[in-house]
Amino acid sequence: MIDHPDYGYDIAAVRADFPILRQNHHDNVPLIYLDNAASSQKPLQVIESIEQYYKGYNANVHRGIHKLSEEATSAYEGVRKKIRKFINAGSRREVIYTRGTTEGINLVANTWGREFLKPGDVILSTVMEHHANIVPWQILSAQIGTKVMYVPILPNGTLDMDAYERLLRDEPVKLVAVAHVSNVLGTVNPVEDMVKKAHEAGAKILIDAAQSAPHMPLDVQAIDADFLTFSSHKMIGPTGIGVLYGKRDLLEEMPPWMGGGDMISTVTLQGSTWNDLPYKFEAGTPSIAEAIGFGAAIDYLSNLGMETIHAQEQRITAYLLERMSEVPGITVFGPEADQKGAVAAFVVDGAHAHDVAQLLDAEGVAVRAGHHCAMPLHTELGVSATSRASFYLYNTYDEVDILIEALYKVQKTLR
Ligand code: 7TS
């Protein structure tokens, strides 16, 4: 038995905050939730904040002068300030609410991309991206004549940085669009270095932080990102809300994308003028309850401390990879633990990823199987599908052990 280091926080107290973790998955087996890269579970603090809003001060925001609307507006805008602090943005005006990462990327493609990219310009993505950071650039390119190119990966699952520099040098790259952390390989990309090199080449850079914002401290000013986007639901908050951070001067010169209420300053039958940031990009009634729940999630994460959460995830990742390496006939994709987030996508020799996931599910272990919205990456890896175990702050070393035991059982069943 390996002597597990401390979690850095009271793991029992944390787990007690997440009601869903108390249930049995099937009749007799407890739930081991290892699908956190897809979506995380929610603590009572988040669930109750939403209930309190609907019970106590539900109203539309930025409208009426009645007390309820003022209370709702103050809570909704208060969360924006929390997000500003959480990512160290220079101003709350740089924090745009979206429905999530996907919408954040599409917003940049449809506003900045349409306004500032020209036929022949190159958008540089990577082969390890989620479809959300590939498809919007392909759609845009089909419409305006830009070209999408991709940074390849090395055999260990890290980006080929020589190729990155070469592409920046040899191609007319105007935008780099890269994931901070891969949702399959877990690779933590050297974004500060990538930003520096993109800027030296005269390109802007968008960072898809869907898999980093939940797991490590983020400082958008230190990274010097032009755009950075993430989703609440992967960081113990509700679905339907996320953030696009953008540098203020860029956001100021971008035209709006969706038109409607709240995003205008004046409207006549002949034309309209736009509201100030961030509202220029927030047409229509927003996800108010979800934003309030997101605020409770940020409070929760901040109270534990993102450094503390990250340090624990690094320990559990090291333990996970060590234990998985003991099981014969299993290939885990991606780099070593010290370069990797808490995710292990793997294949079991002679077994289909979906069968593995189904058998694990019978043991109470919830993992995802498939291409994880990263088909080009799976093609590159030479597999059609992987099973993926992804961890978060409430997962335990005992759950790693249960996963490993379950994997031995799966192998026996499939043999
Ligand atoms: N980018 C990355 C790196 C992701 O992992 C995801 C979601 C997205 C973008 C899209 O986020 P959304 O909140 O807008 O949907 N990733 C996954 C996953 O790995 N399994 O399910 C969703």
Side-chain angles (χ1 to χ4, degrees):
M1 188 69 180
I2 291 182
D3 188 20
H4 303 312
D6 190 21
Y7 285 80
Y9 45 84
D10 184 343
I11 185 71
V14 165
R15 289 182 64 81
D17 286 333
F18 291 78
I20 209 167
L21 300 178
R22 282 176 227 151
Q23 68 176 278
N24 276 357
H25 194 43
H26 297 291
D27 288 345
N28 289 320
V29 286
L31 168 67
I32 313 291
Y33 186 76
L34 300 182
D35 195 15
N36 293 285
S39 201
S40 64
Q41 299 302 342
K42 323 299 173 198
L44 278 170
Q45 289 83 341
V46 168
I47 299 165
E48 284 168 1
S49 73
I50 296 169
E51 188 180 344
Q52 279 159 13
Y53 163 71
Y54 279 129
K55 281 185 173 167
Y57 58 104
N58 170 56
N60 212 328
V61 292
H62 308 146
R63 287 153 173 87
I65 47 162
H66 58 81
K67 177 168 168 290
L68 284 190
S69 178
E70 275 174 13
E71 269 185 65
T73 302
S74 152
Y76 176 77
E77 289 301 329
V79 174
R80 199 189 303 273
K81 290 182 193 151
K82 280 180 192 173
I83 296 166
R84 186 211 66 73
K85 192 165 165 227
F86 189 73
I87 60 171
N88 193 32
S91 156
R92 67 171 190 91
R93 294 189 184 277
E94 297 177 319
V95 175
I96 317 278
Y97 282 127
T98 64
R99 279 189 301 134
T101 308
T102 302
E103 188 176 296
I105 297 169
N106 278 275
L107 195 159
V108 174
N110 280 282
T111 61
W112 186 86
R114 276 176 182 281
E115 186 76 8
F116 295 106
L117 293 178
K118 306 213 165 20
D121 285 349
V122 167
I123 299 158
L124 186 56
S125 182
T126 86
V127 300
M128 70 165 75
E129 299 306 308
H130 186 279
H131 296 163
N133 206 17
I134 294 177
V135 183
W137 308 119
Q138 292 177 340
I139 294 174
L140 179 70
S141 293
Q143 291 167 340
I144 69 165
T146 48
K147 184 173 167 194
V148 194
M149 297 183 79
Y150 304 94
V151 182
I153 54 170
L154 298 172
N156 74 349
T158 60
L159 281 181
D160 182 342
M161 291 298 285
D162 290 339
Y164 177 59
E165 288 182 37
R166 203 163 48 243
L167 285 159
L168 283 177
R169 193 181 59 231
D170 296 346
E171 302 291 340
V173 177
K174 291 293 170 336
L175 178 74
V176 174
V178 63
H180 194 174
V181 175
S182 157
N183 67 321
V184 176
L185 303 168
T187 313
V188 182
N189 288 319
V191 288
E192 292 194 23
D193 187 35
M194 293 184 80
V195 169
K196 205 165 144 271
K197 292 186 167 125
H199 287 165
E200 280 165 9
K204 303 291 181 215
I205 182 162
L206 174 146
I207 294 170
D208 170 353
Q211 300 291 351
S212 61
H215 303 286
M216 58 182 72
L218 277 187
D219 181 333
V220 290
Q221 295 191 73
I223 296 172
D224 198 23
D226 296 300
F227 301 104
L228 182 141
T229 179
F230 51 97
S231 306
S232 148
H233 71 94
K234 294 188 200 287
M235 45 200 300
I236 71 174
T239 52
I241 187 91
V243 170
L244 171 68
Y245 158 82
K247 282 185 181 162
R248 188 164 176 175
D249 53 340
L250 291 175
L251 295 174
E252 292 284 6
E253 61 187 18
M254 280 157 56
W257 177 25
M258 286 196 273
D262 234 19
M263 54 74 71
I264 52 83
S265 169
T266 62
V267 178
T268 68
L269 294 181
Q270 284 69 45
S272 309
T273 58
W274 315 136
N275 201 343
D276 292 334
L277 290 174
Y279 312 111
K280 181 170 78 173
F281 296 109
E282 296 180 356
T285 298
S287 301
I288 304 165
E290 290 77 3
I292 288 166
F294 190 19
I298 287 176
D299 286 343
Y300 194 99
L301 296 174
S302 303
N303 286 341
L304 279 182
M306 291 309 293
E307 288 284 0
T308 308
I309 291 167
H310 186 225
Q312 168 54 19
E313 288 187 12
Q314 284 184 305
R315 287 190 291 263
I316 208 163
T317 304
Y319 182 62
L320 169 72
L321 293 189
E322 183 191 316
R323 293 275 355 240
M324 286 192 83
S325 72
E326 291 166 10
V327 190
I330 287 190
T331 308
V332 180
F333 296 98
E336 301 290 308
D338 58 349
Q339 281 177 287
K340 192 173 163 89
V343 44
F346 60 94
V347 289
V348 178
D349 284 356
H352 196 278
H354 285 92
D355 296 337
V356 172
Q358 209 153 35
L359 289 166
L360 288 176
D361 188 62
E363 300 295 319
V365 182
V367 302
R368 187 178 168 184
H371 52 65
H372 316 295
C373 301
M375 287 174 79
L377 174 62
H378 281 76
T379 303
E380 193 70 22
L381 298 173
V383 292
S384 59
T386 53
S387 308
R388 182 186 66 180
S390 52
F391 290 69
Y392 207 8
L393 49 91
Y394 36 70
N395 289 120
T396 66
Y397 298 100
D398 289 343
E399 290 179 320
V400 174
D401 294 339
I402 292 167
L403 168 69
I404 299 301
E405 287 316 307
L407 282 172
Y408 278 115
K409 268 197 198 172
V410 166
Q411 283 184 322
K412 240 191 236 160
T413 310
L414 291 174
R415 198 169 291 144

